[in-house]
Amino acid sequence: MQKSLKILLLSTALGAVSGLPAIASSSTWYNSEGGKVRLVTTGKPDETGRIQGVLDISLKPGWKTYWRDPGDAGVPPQIDISASTNIADAQLSFPAPQRHDDGYGKWAGYDYPVSLPVTFRLSAPKDAAVIDADIFLGICETICIPVQTRLTVDPAADPDNVDDAALVKAAVVALPAPARPDFGINVLPGDHENLIVEASFPGSAEAADFFIAGEQDYMFGAPARSEKDGKLIFTVPILDRPSTMPTGGGLHYTLTSAAGAVEGLLPFP
């Protein structure tokens, strides 16, 4: 989608809105034009000082939201916990996305309500924590609206909420499994302009798809499919790259098939 059509900059959407004071292991819902969002946690930190939660996104029919890579003009879900008490960081995880083509471009996301798992790490595991999170994401119908709000949770206020814990557990179970030799990706020799991978997966090739996240200044186009020696090949255009190759880590990818989804890290091309 062209950026001028893709993002409608509404001052009411961009203005940060604080929720009501935290009274449970989940926040209040924040309502926007295309849906609503809240933050849910299990309430109790585990023995490593981590609290599991989800960013719960309820979309109205016909609306969509983005995967970790939103394409060239989208808004990926983001969470900023810098205003929190005793929270060192928060890491979002993403279920397998779908491929969308809106006529202006192809991008990855969800056209149904989705819960994104988030792991909060406490600075001091034995001390009390309050999650005060600034949330930023895009939801789209014919145009995309950026949604920004602050969601607050006091995990200790309702530490044994069975419904909240079940929602978090279900979201974690729904995540892609780790890639393995019979269901995963092998990187093939490419060039400066293309990332080429060979996919292994159960089921038919028609149901398989490959998603890679442009991170650390990488940007990728939609993958092209081909077949070589009975193997499905994805050729992904590298639209932009950092001036210096990053060190450590890699690029997140998800491979989907009729049998489910796996994820992993690819070395920087």
Side-chain angles (χ1 to χ4, degrees), residues 9-25:
L9 296 179
L10 299 178
S11 59
T12 55
L14 285 174
V17 179
S18 296
L20 296 175
I23 57 173
S25 51

Side-chain angles (χ1 to χ4, degrees), residues 209-265:
D209 206 349
F210 173 68
F211 303 88
I212 185 165
E215 300 165 308
Q216 301 203 47
D217 295 328
Y218 281 93
M219 181 179 291
F220 298 95
R225 304 160 62 99
S226 61
E227 188 174 318
K228 181 179 180 181
D229 300 327
K231 290 286 190 178
L232 180 60
I233 307 297
F234 291 98
T235 300
V236 187
I238 304 173
L239 305 180
D240 201 2
R241 61 169 63 241
S243 56
T244 303
M245 183 177 293
T247 58
L251 296 171
H252 290 90
Y253 78 86
T254 297
L255 177 66
T256 62
S257 80
V262 295
E263 64 183 3
L265 288 177

Side-chain angles (χ1 to χ4, degrees), residues 49 81-82 84-91 119-124 129-130:
I81 47 79
S82 58
S84 300
T85 300
N86 194 29
I87 300 293
D89 61 43
Q91 297 294 326
T119 300
F120 299 95
R121 183 172 60 86
L122 275 63
S123 302
V130 174

